[in-house]
């Protein structure tokens, strides 16, 4: 049987080194399979997160040959196996151990975003009527599996470490899902501008490129939110209009 | 007791899937201080993987539906071993539980008049599953999670509970470790809710993740609670089978609900060959009628592909056994054929089943809009679990509650698709409410420090052994054993052999050694999980030996028929005085008359 070499980052709290492991590979294998095999054969204490093994839970994020990816959805036949495959933890978050990083910052950010606020129910029985098209408009954002690969690749977080000032693409998608939710009457525009740092995004689109769910983060979520902010703060006419209208964008 | 980091709450919830989160929301609304503990990160529990939908008789698509029909369907699916009171509560309350999610931000697919759309699923008489494409579970868990984080819950992510603590006969708390540092923690609680999910990791081919090591089942059992219906393990008929590394990953029943059909290598719709008597009146006579059903024709009956999972799984196994299988040992599931019927079939499939489309495209190089998939049975769901009071979800240990997959009763011998997500909501809510109530009326139970010290010593023993047995190796052997000997088709001799092997593996597990330190050490975690896996595997096997008939998910080669006498009792397992498994056959209480009538009317 064929074998391949995996160059895996081993260590704790940012200290560590790459270690090479050679293991058998077979048809259809993904990187996570290889990591599990290595765990069972050579490195019992190798730390790695995973759950669904089907691209649904967003647990197994890592950098494979330098690219932010889900290990469970990266087929070995998409990688050159004549050279070692490097597998490293994400870089935008504090390192814990081996392939595992501390992503708790993301959970704290989410808590800061004003929650869903529905309009009054449409029907007597407390339910709403929503047109299928209105649901469809936001479904794209709701596909997010919270893998945080987009956060990992965004230079504002990764290189400039501006975690205090910027919520990152994942949470701009989240804010967009709320802002465009057909029932939501909340308003997050001021926070977007002041606390969430939407202005720090300079539309490099790196986030969109790595999203395993194919969410068009920049064009469909961030740019419309930026427009909302611009309309609110820099366009007096629309500001006036808002006073008279209860519908939101 | 200073050595352990101690946390005190009114209600300690173990598990952050649908059941745990729903319970947390409820308990916190009742004013309780709540801890939620989860082995993974928040939002990654199994619930996130659920695809097809959540069953609730809202009647949005077919107004003939009602809680009565849902109740009768659930009982029929469970072959009447269900706890009928749970089935009643579930059918009645599911619609409100689903609507309430919408008030918290969930967005289900819609009907043309703007209400929640419902789809067909196996064993459900009318279109009943509220859904969001094929990622319903994601929508559900995210909604509960995003609602929950604003309620002041204390969430402990990547913590694993290894022991429940009791004081006298009642619950006092839970003991566990955090993955990151490997430190031990004591959770004191006036009430404890188990919401830990299933046991699928006991099998080799499974749709379940590493988390499903039967922790809640084993924790409750060792704390003195009873387990019931443990012989009923659901094998989902359609898991992926090729390539080998994806074997077991689920292919949602939604594929069949949308018109997908099963064929053998001779291109035959083999499901038409064998239709169980309980379902003859409800099953289509022709392929044409079956197709019309999937397209919403109210006068058509369901195609045989949408019979219950136990039956479909066994039919597939028979095809393969008798040499009519697909190249890699399964059968074909074909949705691409709908292009003969629908002008825009490919688009329709991608819209209705987007994650299936991607799953096959990315993992198997198959375009499901153009070619058939190869599928075969995969271990999927545990009907058996902690025996609870139907109304309160409290186990036989006062203050210990259970909800969701780790509790039992609702599904009987076989669960209908979609009835799990609704189970989580209905009984998660109830568990949360009653646990908060219990916490109001009781104070914290005392903790036995001796017990903690011995639990710690036990948990750390693997570090003292010098790698004599590899934890992954023992786990793999156990998975092979259960797969080969206590699988879809069972018989006495093989199961006796399984018990023998489980005994050997228990000895091996006592000698398991691990390398490295306590920080995020997967080997150590696997070693600890073995204990629970072995506990539940033994109980499943013993209960399966005890049920000498075939019913629902439990099929015995040596007793292939249903036995009316055996339909009158549940098998209950308790831990005996010497640590042995004690089984009793406990009669099912007679059903309330109005419910009996309902069942008669729906036949
Ligand atoms: C692929 C797939 C598709 C499915 N599709 C459907 C569907 O369409 N419709 C449907 O109704 N059902 C479906 N099911 C079944 C359904 O998803 C599950 O039964 C259900 O989600 C279980 O929910 P739960 O809340 O009981 O447990 P889970 O969601 O699994 O949560 C268990 C929680 O307990 C925690 N836990 C476990 N042990 C411990 C411990 N020792 N210490 C601390 N925490 C612990 C875990 O970390 C996790 O947070 C599907 C299942 C799978 C696998
Ligand atoms: S587009 Fe904006 S959010 Fe996305 S990676 Fe670039 S800077 Fe970051
Ligand atoms: S938006 Fe995409 S990349 Fe970012 S967390 Fe969600 S799924 Fe992952
Ligand atoms: S394991 Fe769930 S996304 Fe990879």
């Amino acid at each position: 049987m064929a074998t391949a070499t995996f160059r895996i980052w081993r260590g704790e709290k940012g200290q560590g080194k790459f270690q090479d492991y050679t293991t058998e590979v077979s048809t259809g294998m993904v990187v996570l399979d290889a990591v599990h095999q290595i765990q069972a054969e050579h490195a019992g204490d190798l730390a790695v997160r995973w759950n669904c093994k089907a691209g649904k839970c967003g647990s197994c994020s890592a950098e494979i040959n330098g690219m932010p990816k889900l290990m469970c959805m990266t087929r070995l036949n998409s990688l050159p196996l004549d050279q070692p495959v490097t597998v490293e933890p994400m870089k935008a978050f504090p390192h814990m151990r081996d392939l595992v990083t501390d992503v708790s910052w993301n959970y704290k950010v989410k808590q800061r975003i004003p929650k869903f606020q529905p309009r009054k129910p449409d029907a007597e029985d407390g339910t709403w009527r929503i047109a299928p098209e209105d649901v469809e408009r936001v479904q794209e954002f709701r596909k997010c599996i919270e893998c945080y690969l987009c956060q990992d690749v965004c230079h504002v977080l990764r290189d400039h470490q501006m975690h205090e000032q910027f919520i990152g693409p994942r949470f701009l998608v989240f804010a967009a899902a709320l802002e465009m939710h057909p029932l939501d009457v909340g308003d997050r525009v001021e926070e977007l501008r002041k606390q969430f740092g939407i202005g720090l995004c300079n539309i490099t689109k790196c986030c969109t490129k790595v999203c395993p769910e194919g969410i068009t983060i920049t064009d469909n979520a961030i740019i419309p939110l930026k427009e909302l902010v611009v309309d609110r703060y820099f366009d007096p006419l629309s500001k006036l209009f808002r006073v008279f209208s209860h519908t939101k964008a | 007791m200073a050595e352990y980091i101690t946390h005190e709450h009114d209600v300690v919830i173990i598990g952050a899937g649908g059941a745990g989160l729903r319970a947390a929301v409820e308990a916190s609304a009742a004013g309780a201080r709540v801890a939620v503990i989860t082995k993974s990160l928040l939002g990654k529990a199994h619930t996130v993987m659920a695809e097809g939908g959540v069953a609730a008789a809202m009647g949005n698509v077919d107004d003939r539906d009602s809680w009565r029909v849902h109740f009768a369907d659930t009982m029929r699916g469970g072959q009447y071993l269900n706890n009928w009171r749970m089935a009643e509560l579930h059918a009645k309350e599911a619609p409100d539980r689903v609507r309430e999610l919408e008030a918290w931000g969930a967005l289900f697919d819609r009907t043309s008049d703007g209400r929640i759309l419902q789809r067909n699923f196996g064993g459900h008489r009318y279109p009943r599953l509220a859904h969001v494409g094929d990622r319903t579970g994601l929508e559900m868990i995210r909604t509960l999670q995003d609602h929950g984080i604003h309620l002041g819950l204390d969430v402990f992510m990547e913590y694993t509970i290894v022991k429940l603590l009791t004081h006298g006969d009642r619950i006092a708390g839970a003991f566990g470790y955090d993955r990151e540092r490997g430190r031990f923690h004591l959770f004191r609680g006036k009430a404890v809710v188990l919401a830990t999910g299933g046991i699928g990791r006991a099998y080799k081919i499974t749709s379940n993740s590493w988390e499903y090591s039967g922790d809640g089942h084993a924790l409750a059992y060792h704390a003195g609670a009873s387990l019931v219906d443990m012989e009923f393990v659901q094998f989902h008929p359609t898991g992926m089978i090729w390539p080998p590394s994806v074997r077991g990953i689920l292919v949602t029943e939604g594929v069949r609900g949308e018109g997908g059909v099963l064929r053998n290598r001779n291109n035959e719709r083999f499901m038409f060959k064998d239709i169980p008597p309980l379902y003859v009146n409800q099953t289509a006579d022709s392929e044409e009628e079956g197709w019309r059903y999937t397209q919403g024709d109210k006068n058509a009956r369901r195609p045989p592909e949408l019979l219950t999972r136990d039956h479909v799984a066994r039919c597939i196994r028979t095809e393969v056994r008798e040499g009519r299988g697909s190249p890699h040992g399964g059968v074909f599931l074909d949705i691409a054929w709908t292009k003969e019927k629908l002008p825009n079939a490919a688009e329709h499939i991608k819209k209705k089943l987007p994650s299936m489309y991607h799953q096959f495209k990315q993992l198997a190089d198959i375009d499901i809009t153009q070619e058939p998939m190869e599928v075969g049975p995969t271990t999927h769901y545990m009907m058996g679990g902690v025996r609870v009071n139907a109304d309160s979800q409290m186990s036989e240990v006062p203050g210990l509650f259970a909800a969701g997959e780790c509790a039992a009763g609702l599904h009987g011998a076989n669960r209908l698709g979609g009835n799990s997500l609704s189970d989580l909501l209905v009984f998660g809510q109830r568990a949360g409410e009653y646990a908060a109530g219990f916490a109001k009326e009781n104070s914290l139970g005392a903790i036995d420090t001796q017990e903690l010290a011995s639990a710690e010593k036990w948990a750390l023993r693997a570090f003292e052994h010098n790698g004599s047995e590899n934890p992954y190796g023992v786990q793999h052997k156990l998975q092979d054993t259960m797969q080969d000997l206590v699988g879809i088709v069972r018989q006495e001799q093989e199961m006796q052999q399984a018990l023998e092997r489980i005994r050997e593996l228990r000895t091996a597990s006592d000698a398991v050694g691990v390398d490295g330190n306590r920080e995020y050490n997967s080997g150590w975690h696997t070693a600890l999980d073995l204990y629970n896996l072995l506990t539940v595997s033994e109980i499943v096997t013993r209960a399966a030996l005890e049920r000498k008939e075939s019913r629902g998910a439990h099929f015995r080669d040596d007793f292939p028929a249903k036995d009316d006498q055996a339909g009158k009792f549940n098998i209950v397992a308790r831990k005996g005085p010497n640590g042995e498994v004690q089984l009793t056959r406990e009669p099912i209480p007679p059903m309330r008359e109005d419910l009996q009538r309902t069942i008669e009317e729906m036949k």
Side-chain angles (χ1 to χ4, degrees):
Chain A
M1 254 210 190
T3 62
T5 300
F6 293 81
R7 185 160 287 171
I8 300 180
W9 183 260
R10 301 289 321 258
E12 276 164 47
K13 312 252 166 347
Q15 307 291 313
K17 59 177 189 324
F18 280 113
Q19 203 158 318
D20 283 2
Y21 300 94
T22 300
T23 193
E24 272 182 11
V25 297
S26 57
T27 326
M29 260 171 83
V30 294
V31 171
L32 185 63
D33 293 322
V35 170
H36 279 156
Q37 223 164 275
I38 288 163
Q39 215 179 29
E41 291 165 359
H42 311 286
D45 61 342
L46 172 61
V48 56
R49 275 197 189 105
W50 69 283
N51 280 79
C52 68
K53 213 174 161 307
K56 292 186 167 65
C57 72
S59 301
C60 65
S61 308
E63 299 188 2
I64 300 166
N65 285 350
M67 286 297 294
K69 284 195 166 149
L70 296 177
M71 286 185 268
C72 72
M73 295 303 275
T74 306
R75 294 272 296 270
L76 294 185
N77 66 6
S78 69
L79 303 167
L81 294 183
D82 51 348
Q83 33 193 317
V85 176
T86 62
V87 189
E88 307 163 74
M90 289 191 283
K91 298 289 162 47
F93 311 112
H95 185 230
M96 275 165 59
R97 191 181 160 146
D98 302 340
L99 299 175
V100 176
T101 53
D102 176 359
V103 293
S104 57
W105 170 79
N106 292 285
Y107 289 86
K108 294 190 193 110
V109 170
K110 195 183 227 183
Q111 221 160 357
R112 286 166 44 208
I113 300 174
K115 66 177 186 195
F116 173 69
Q117 280 172 258
R119 68 173 186 239
K120 282 217 178 69
D122 305 329
E124 289 277 299
D125 63 356
T127 61
W128 288 270
R129 299 289 175 272
I130 313 171
E133 312 80 76
D134 291 342
V135 172
E136 225 139 278
R137 205 153 40 105
V138 286
Q139 282 316 16
E140 177 186 9
F141 307 141
R142 306 179 69 85
K143 288 194 302 191
C144 170
I145 56 174
E146 301 199 328
C147 65
Y148 308 126
L149 288 171
C150 57
Q151 308 284 74
D152 183 44
V153 83
C154 175
H155 67 101
V156 184
L157 299 171
R158 187 187 179 97
D159 302 329
H160 306 293
Q161 294 282 318
M162 296 176 80
H163 294 70
E164 291 296 316
Q165 297 92 327
F166 185 52
I167 61 174
R170 157 57 190 142
F171 295 104
L172 292 171
V173 168
F174 183 65
L178 288 167
E179 285 294 307
M180 297 179 207
H181 191 298
L183 301 184
D184 183 79
V185 293
D187 186 327
R188 299 158 191 86
V189 178
E190 186 177 322
E191 282 93 343
L192 279 168
R193 184 166 103 106
K194 298 205 176 123
Q195 289 123 48
F196 301 162
I198 190 167
L200 290 168
C201 161
N202 57 345
I203 322 197
T204 58
K205 302 198 184 188
C206 311
C207 50
T208 303
K209 276 183 215 129
V210 300
C211 176
E213 285 293 301
I215 303 172
T216 317
I217 304 175
T218 341
D219 291 6
N220 293 354
I222 299 181
I223 293 177
L225 287 181
K226 279 178 175 274
E227 283 167 358
L228 267 184
V229 172
V230 169
D231 285 355
R232 171 80 54 92
Y233 289 95
F234 307 103
D235 179 351
L237 203 71
S238 81
K239 203 165 178 176
L240 196 69
F241 176 70
R242 230 178 0 96
V243 178
F244 297 106
S245 145
H246 291 289
T247 58
K248 26 179 281 169
Chain B
M1 221 155 55
E3 314 151 53
Y4 306 110
I5 306 160
T6 304
H7 313 270
E8 282 185 16
H9 291 85
D10 296 322
V11 178
V12 174
I13 296 176
I14 308 173
L21 288 173
R22 187 63 190 82
V25 166
E26 198 65 20
S28 141
R33 280 177 314 127
V34 178
V36 177
I37 306 169
T38 153
K39 290 208 276 193
S40 292
L41 297 171
L42 193 54
K44 313 294 183 196
H46 247 73
T47 302
V48 79
M49 299 174 219
E51 295 160 354
V54 42
M58 297 186 283
N60 289 352
V61 170
D62 192 323
D63 57 16
R64 290 174 296 180
D65 204 9
S66 71
W67 78 262
R68 288 197 169 75
V69 191
H70 193 184
F71 167 77
D73 287 351
T74 302
M75 294 296 297
R76 186 186 305 108
Q79 307 260 349
Y80 304 105
L81 288 191
N82 324 50
N83 176 323
W84 48 262
R85 173 66 178 159
M86 278 175 86
E88 177 196 10
L89 290 170
H90 167 255
K92 281 183 173 161
E93 294 176 6
D96 280 346
R97 295 289 85 81
V98 170
R99 289 190 201 108
E100 160 184 274
L101 288 180
E102 196 150 78
W104 298 339
L107 268 182
F108 293 99
D109 287 357
R110 316 306 291 186
T111 62
S112 52
D113 67 347
R115 294 185 301 164
I116 295 175
L117 181 62
Q118 300 185 269
R119 70 156 48 120
N120 287 313
F121 237 56
H124 293 281
R125 188 159 200 158
Y126 301 119
R128 191 176 282 146
L129 269 66
H131 60 277
V132 185
D134 54 5
R135 56 164 192 83
T136 314
L138 171 64
E139 187 75 10
M140 246 179 73
I141 199 165
R142 207 63 90 227
T143 301
L144 289 167
Q145 170 190 349
D146 296 348
H147 185 67
I149 56 175
H150 297 287
L151 298 176
L153 310 171
D154 288 332
V155 180
F156 297 86
M157 294 198 279
E158 302 198 310
Y159 281 60
T160 302
I161 295 301
V162 293
K163 188 169 174 47
L164 292 180
L165 306 166
T166 48
H167 176 230
D169 66 343
R170 63 161 285 205
I171 199 78
F175 185 67
Y177 64 89
D178 63 77
R179 296 178 93 73
E180 182 181 359
R181 306 272 296 276
R183 292 168 307 189
F184 287 100
H185 295 252
L186 165 61
F187 292 89
R188 302 186 64 186
K190 296 172 186 165
V192 172
V193 179
L194 291 170
T196 54
I199 67 143
R201 275 280 134 184
Y203 288 81
K204 183 172 167 196
I205 302 176
T206 175
S207 65
N208 294 175
S209 83
W210 66 271
E211 290 202 311
Y212 268 22
S213 43
D215 296 6
H217 294 77
L219 290 168
Y221 169 81
H222 291 300
S226 313
L227 304 179
V228 62
D229 294 339
M230 292 294 285
E231 65 275 35
F232 297 113
V233 179
Q234 179 167 76
F235 299 91
H236 193 290
T238 60
M240 291 177 82
I241 57 169
W242 189 258
S245 73
V246 300
R247 192 158 193 151
I249 294 179
L250 194 77
V251 182
T252 175
E253 193 166 316
V255 175
R256 285 168 283 146
E258 297 295 340
V261 300
L262 291 168
R263 291 207 175 90
N264 61 21
R265 71 185 314 151
N266 308 327
N267 217 18
E268 179 189 20
R269 287 272 298 268
F270 59 88
M271 287 304 303
F272 275 101
K273 289 191 296 197
D274 176 11
I275 294 167
L278 265 180
Y279 286 92
V280 175
N281 293 336
Q282 301 184 5
T283 307
D285 280 338
S286 66
E287 299 190 9
E288 190 54 34
E289 182 181 359
W291 167 250
R292 282 193 282 114
Y293 176 90
T294 63
Q295 299 310 295
D297 180 342
K298 292 185 181 173
N299 297 317
R301 291 167 300 174
R302 69 167 91 86
E305 276 87 357
L306 289 178
L307 284 164
T308 52
R309 291 177 174 174
D310 52 336
H311 178 74
V312 181
R314 276 192 301 273
C315 289
I316 293 177
R317 186 175 176 275
T318 307
E319 291 304 303
V320 176
R321 277 264 168 121
E322 295 176 1
R324 294 183 298 275
S326 64
H328 301 105
V331 294
F332 295 108
L333 171 61
D334 187 5
I335 181 121
W337 82 278
T338 57
K339 62 185 173 227
E340 295 166 20
K341 298 277 186 184
L342 300 171
N344 55 347
E347 284 322 302
H348 185 73
I349 294 166
K350 282 189 217 166
K351 177 157 172 282
K352 282 304 199 180
L353 303 162
S355 70
M356 280 307 106
Y357 174 75
H358 283 288
Q359 189 172 305
F360 274 90
K361 193 92 188 147
Q362 272 180 280
L363 295 175
D365 299 316
I366 294 231
D367 178 352
I368 66 168
T369 69
Q370 303 303 323
E371 359 166 25
M373 304 158 239
E374 267 188 87
V375 295
T378 180
T379 313
H380 185 55
Y381 185 86
M382 184 58 181
M383 269 73 73
V386 182
R387 194 187 202 205
V388 290
N389 172 283
D391 289 74
S392 70
Q393 298 294 105
M394 190 158 89
S395 72
E396 287 156 21
V397 176
L400 178 63
F401 297 76
E405 190 167 340
C406 72
L410 172 61
H411 310 292
N414 176 51
R415 171 181 75 98
L416 299 185
N419 266 2
S420 170
L421 292 182
S422 44
D423 172 4
L424 312 180
L425 295 174
V426 168
F427 295 107
Q429 186 272 339
R430 284 186 164 264
E433 179 187 335
Y434 283 87
F438 186 93
K440 272 208 184 100
E441 285 160 19
N442 292 275
S443 50
L444 284 171
I447 300 293
D448 175 354
T449 30
Q450 283 289 303
E451 200 181 1
L452 293 187
S454 63
E456 175 178 10
K457 190 156 181 272
W458 171 83
L460 291 175
R461 66 195 170 142
F463 286 105
E464 284 150 27
H465 305 150
N466 309 338
S468 40
E469 289 275 356
N470 171 337
Y472 300 98
V474 177
Q475 193 194 49
H476 292 161
K477 278 183 210 152
L478 176 65
Q479 290 167 337
D480 286 336
T481 302
M482 293 303 284
Q483 186 75 36
D484 297 344
L485 304 176
V486 199
I488 304 187
V489 172
R490 302 163 169 180
Q491 48 141 300
E492 170 92 23
Q493 253 182 341
E494 289 183 352
M495 289 193 285
Q496 292 294 359
Q497 211 182 326
L499 283 180
E500 187 55 41
R501 282 204 209 158
I502 290 170
R503 225 184 335 264
E504 289 161 18
L505 290 170
R506 202 183 286 279
T507 313
S509 83
D510 287 332
V512 152
V514 294
D515 303 327
N517 61 25
R518 275 154 68 174
E519 297 182 11
Y520 222 109
N521 185 335
S522 304
W524 179 38
H525 305 154
T526 304
L528 287 175
D529 290 348
L530 278 177
Y531 181 62
N532 298 329
L533 281 171
L534 285 161
T535 301
V536 293
S537 297
E538 178 181 349
I539 299 172
V540 167
T541 310
R542 290 196 185 276
L545 275 164
E546 178 73 7
R547 186 166 285 284
K548 297 184 177 22
E549 64 154 353
S550 294
R551 179 182 297 270
H554 172 69
F555 190 87
R556 293 272 307 246
D557 233 359
D558 40 1
F559 299 95
K562 215 172 356 188
D563 169 7
D564 286 345
Q565 284 313 309
K568 298 197 167 97
F569 60 81
N570 298 107
I571 295 171
V572 176
R574 285 188 195 84
K575 189 169 172 175
N578 304 316
E580 78 286 7
V581 179
Q582 282 187 346
L583 295 182
T584 49
R585 299 174 169 195
E586 303 205 359
I588 298 172
M591 196 184 302
R592 233 175 43 220
E593 215 172 295
D594 58 313
L595 296 177
Q596 270 181 37
R597 267 198 311 277
T598 298
I599 284 180
E600 283 309 313
E601 282 159 24
M602 303 294 164
K603 267 196 173 141

